[in-house]
Amino acid sequence: MSKYHSKKITIDGITYDSKKEARRHQELLLLERAGEITNLERQVKFTLIPAQREYTNEIYTKGRKKGCFKPGKLLERECAYIADFVYREGDRCVVEDTKGFRTPEYIIKRKLMLHNFGIRIKEV
């Protein structure tokens, strides 16, 4: 049980974060079969802020990366948003999240999705 009282559930070998997400996926699968939507995907990652690394001028001397700069020490991990569902509805791309509770972290990521990609997340 998570701190927001959602309970993971597995249906047909697919594990969902909540019953609500599982139910919505079943609805979207029906819509896809009916031709209402296309290209349905689950758990699509959007990088909002890439990892931040320390500058280095070290270069690989062998291997397939020979001549390329080595990555510097990791200062900050990337910030990413993982959408529950992404699909096409006609010529429009829809990014959807099944929300039970809007955390402060989610609200910031929702704003970054709009700012970085011009995508408004559809909350169900």
Side-chain angles (χ1 to χ4, degrees):
M1 181 85 64
S2 78
K3 64 181 172 181
Y4 299 109
H5 304 292
S6 63
K7 189 176 173 184
K8 288 193 183 272
I9 184 170
T10 301
I11 299 174
D12 297 329
I14 301 171
T15 301
Y16 301 93
D17 289 334
S18 66
K19 289 179 184 178
K20 184 177 182 180
E21 184 181 328
R23 199 170 33 251
R24 182 59 180 156
H25 189 226
Q26 298 306 309
E27 291 169 3
L28 290 171
L29 287 170
L30 287 173
L31 289 172
E32 188 175 43
R33 280 188 218 122
E36 300 282 321
I37 65 170
T38 57
N39 298 40
L40 177 61
E41 295 180 81
R42 287 188 65 245
Q43 304 297 303
V44 178
K45 179 180 171 181
F46 293 85
T47 300
L48 301 171
I49 304 170
Q52 307 296 304
R53 294 186 170 274
E54 202 171 67
Y55 174 78
T56 180
N57 57 2
E58 288 184 66
I59 296 177
Y60 288 103
T61 57
K62 49 185 150 188
R64 68 179 176 85
K65 292 186 177 182
K66 183 177 179 179
C68 296
F69 284 101
K70 290 182 177 181
K73 178 183 166 199
L74 183 66
L75 300 173
E76 292 286 343
R77 292 187 350 228
E78 76 173 11
C79 173
Y81 166 70
I82 299 176
D84 290 335
F85 308 106
V86 175
Y87 55 89
R88 297 209 57 85
E89 196 168 43
D91 61 347
R92 190 171 74 98
C93 178
V94 178
V95 175
E96 187 173 295
D97 202 297
T98 51
K99 274 286 161 238
F101 185 81
R102 288 176 188 84
T103 63
E105 181 180 343
Y106 166 74
I107 292 168
I108 290 169
K109 288 181 178 186
R110 182 184 68 194
K111 291 175 182 183
L112 285 168
M113 283 290 287
L114 184 58
H115 178 75
N116 291 354
F117 302 108
I119 295 174
R120 292 198 70 182
I121 298 170
K122 179 179 179 180
E123 296 175 4
V124 180

